[in-house]
């Protein structure tokens, strides 16, 4: 009787094990940041001129130093998400890390175009935080007599592609509370689970089908004669690189968007979420694998990976270091 009972217990445990394991699905890493529109409305932006264009980017450091409501709101959102099992990167800590490390703007001058490619403050922050998803948060306070309400927006963005993947917005019920974090919590609490469910679905898709990035290749105009039409063993370099992409992308998913003798652009390149050491993989790390492949025999091609473009874009320039 005891033996029979033990067998039944073991059978039940074995049956429930897959359910238990599936319930422990890995969560995306998330960082909440103030939305650009909110930063503009409150004067927390910087403008720079780049190749004749004016770029407006959030000034996170100034916003965190001057706006206590922002710090409180981000803290409350981090708390709400952590309570639901979603790990968060803290914006204040990330900005502090950037300053302490004195990360320099990585600038590269191409010998073919003379163009400089740099990173925005947001791109440097994304590269440092290595978050899968950025949650942009913005709000506006409404007053009705002695009561206040908050109109809010939460927008989930893929940190690698900048694609919007989830959203929640609305206006909370009027309240006598004057504390913005309390108003935010009261307003979003009913939609938080649905919002996080949208984020999780996107992350699950990436886990199954790979993370989407863009990879560009160029050739330095240094008189070496190297081009993507050069042949190795009767196969053009462009074909060799295309074959490498086919062998190294998840489910062979990628698209050769543009190609010429000096330029190749791959979009929708699905790469694994993590490398062999369990570290989050980004476009630069994936391009590094291609760089090592081309350095080997019989190609022996020297190349440089250009900085800039955030986590989801990398450019490999062949011909010089």
């Amino acid at each position: 009787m005891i033996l029979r009972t033990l067998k039944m217990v073991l059978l039940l445990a074995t049956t429930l094990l897959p359910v238990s394991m599936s319930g422990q699905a890995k969560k995306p890493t998330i960082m909440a940041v103030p939305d650009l529109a909110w930063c503009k409305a409150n004067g927390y932006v910087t403008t720079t001129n780049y190749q004749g264009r004016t770029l407006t980017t959030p000034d996170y450091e100034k916003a965190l130093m001057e706006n206590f409501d922002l710090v409180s709101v981000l803290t409350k959102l981090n708390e709400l998400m952590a309570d639901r099992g979603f790990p968060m990167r803290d914006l204040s800590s990330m900005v502090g890390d950037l300053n302490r490390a004195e990360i320099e703007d990585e600038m590269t001058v191409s010998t073919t175009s003379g163009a400089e490619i740099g990173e925005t403050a947001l791109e440097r922050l994304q590269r440092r935080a290595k978050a899968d998803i950025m949650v942009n948060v913005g709000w506006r306070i409404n007053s009705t007599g002695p009561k206040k309400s908050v109109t809010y927006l939460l927008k989930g963005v893929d940190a690698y592609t900048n694609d919007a993947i989830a959203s929640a917005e609305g206006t909370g019920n009027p309240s006598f509370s004057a504390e913005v974090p309390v108003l935010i919590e009261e307003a979003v609490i009913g939609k938080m689970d649905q919002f996080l469910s949208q984020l999780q679905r996107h992350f699950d898709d990436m886990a199954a089908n790979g993370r989407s990035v863009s990879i560009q290749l160029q050739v330095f105009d240094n008189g070496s004669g190297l081009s993507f039409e050069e042949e190795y063993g009767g196969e053009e370099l462009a074909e060799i690189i295309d074959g490498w992409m086919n062998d190294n992308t998840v489910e062979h998913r990628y698209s050769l968007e543009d190609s010429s003798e000096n330029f190749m652009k791959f979009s929708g390149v699905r790469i694994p979420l993590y490398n062999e050491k369990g570290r989050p993989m980004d476009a630069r790390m994936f391009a590094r694998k291609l760089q090592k492949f081309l350095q080997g025999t019989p190609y022996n091609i020297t190349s440089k990976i250009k900085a800039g473009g955030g986590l989801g874009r990398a450019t490999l320039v062949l011909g010089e270091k």
Side-chain angles (χ1 to χ4, degrees):
M1 181 67 178
I2 296 176
L3 182 59
R4 182 181 178 184
T5 302
L6 181 59
K7 287 182 177 180
M8 291 180 65
V9 171
L10 290 174
L11 178 61
L12 180 60
T14 304
T15 303
L16 293 178
L17 181 60
V19 176
S20 175
M21 293 298 288
S22 64
Q24 298 175 1
K26 191 171 180 65
K27 301 290 186 181
T29 301
I30 304 170
M31 184 165 65
V33 298
D35 185 69
L36 177 59
W38 183 91
C39 290
K40 285 182 177 179
N42 290 275
Y44 302 125
V45 293
T46 59
T47 57
T48 55
N49 291 318
Y50 175 66
Q51 294 185 345
R53 295 181 300 155
T54 300
L55 302 179
T56 301
T57 56
D59 189 337
Y60 295 129
E61 184 176 10
K62 182 180 180 181
L64 291 168
M65 290 178 61
E66 297 182 2
N67 196 302
F68 181 74
D69 282 343
L70 171 63
V71 177
S72 299
V73 166
L74 293 180
T75 301
K76 175 57 67 175
L77 283 176
N78 290 352
E79 177 186 313
L80 291 173
M81 293 182 181
D83 286 346
R84 288 158 175 78
F86 285 79
M88 297 290 293
R89 294 280 191 265
D90 181 67
L91 177 62
S92 298
S93 298
M94 288 297 106
V95 170
D97 286 346
L98 286 172
N99 291 336
R100 284 190 294 271
E102 297 181 352
I103 294 182
E104 300 176 350
D105 292 330
E106 296 179 353
M107 307 292 286
T108 299
V109 178
S110 166
T111 58
T112 54
S113 65
E116 294 182 344
I117 296 181
E119 288 180 304
T120 66
L122 176 58
E123 289 169 345
R124 288 196 301 272
L125 182 67
Q126 289 172 330
R127 179 164 54 84
R128 185 75 173 180
K130 282 294 179 73
D132 301 299
I133 296 169
M134 310 292 285
V135 173
N136 297 332
V137 55
W139 71 89
R140 182 183 71 249
I141 300 298
N142 312 305
S143 298
T144 307
K147 293 186 177 182
K148 295 181 182 295
S149 66
V150 62
T151 299
Y152 71 91
L153 167 68
L154 296 178
K155 183 170 64 176
V157 177
D158 186 311
Y160 289 68
T161 64
N162 291 323
D163 292 337
I165 58 174
S167 64
E169 58 184 311
T171 300
N173 295 323
S175 170
F176 286 106
S177 174
E179 297 183 8
V180 174
V182 175
L183 293 173
I184 289 285
E185 180 178 14
E186 292 174 348
V188 307
I189 195 70
K191 296 185 178 181
M192 182 58 69
D193 290 336
Q194 180 181 355
F195 178 71
L196 292 178
S197 178
Q198 293 175 26
L199 300 185
Q200 184 66 50
R201 282 199 300 271
H202 178 74
F203 184 76
D204 290 344
D205 174 72
M206 290 194 297
N209 300 306
R211 193 193 303 279
S212 182
V213 300
S214 298
I215 304 291
Q216 289 189 169
L217 295 97
Q218 300 174 353
V219 175
F220 269 123
D221 184 14
N222 60 0
S224 67
L226 178 66
S227 78
F228 293 115
E229 295 179 349
E230 185 167 340
E231 293 191 2
Y232 296 84
E235 190 175 16
E236 288 189 354
L237 180 58
E239 297 173 316
I240 293 168
I241 293 172
D242 188 65
W244 185 92
M245 283 286 181
N246 182 71
D247 293 339
N248 288 272
T249 49
V250 177
E251 298 295 332
H252 317 292
R253 297 178 63 179
Y254 68 98
S255 175
L256 178 55
E257 187 174 317
D258 193 9
S259 179
S260 69
E261 62 177 328
N262 295 312
F263 178 78
M264 297 181 75
K265 181 178 181 180
F266 294 91
S267 60
V269 179
R270 292 293 188 130
I271 67 175
L273 283 181
Y274 306 101
N275 66 7
E276 300 81 5
K277 297 181 179 180
R279 295 174 54 198
M281 182 175 285
D282 58 24
R284 186 186 183 98
M285 293 172 65
F286 187 73
R288 175 63 176 151
K289 294 179 64 176
L290 176 57
Q291 182 183 43
K292 288 182 177 180
F293 170 75
L294 294 175
Q295 284 176 347
T297 306
Y299 316 112
N300 302 314
I301 298 175
T302 302
S303 61
K304 174 195 290 289
I305 299 178
K306 284 185 180 180
L311 295 170
R313 295 192 301 275
T315 300
L316 185 62
V317 187
L318 311 185
E320 289 185 2
K321 190 69 173 178

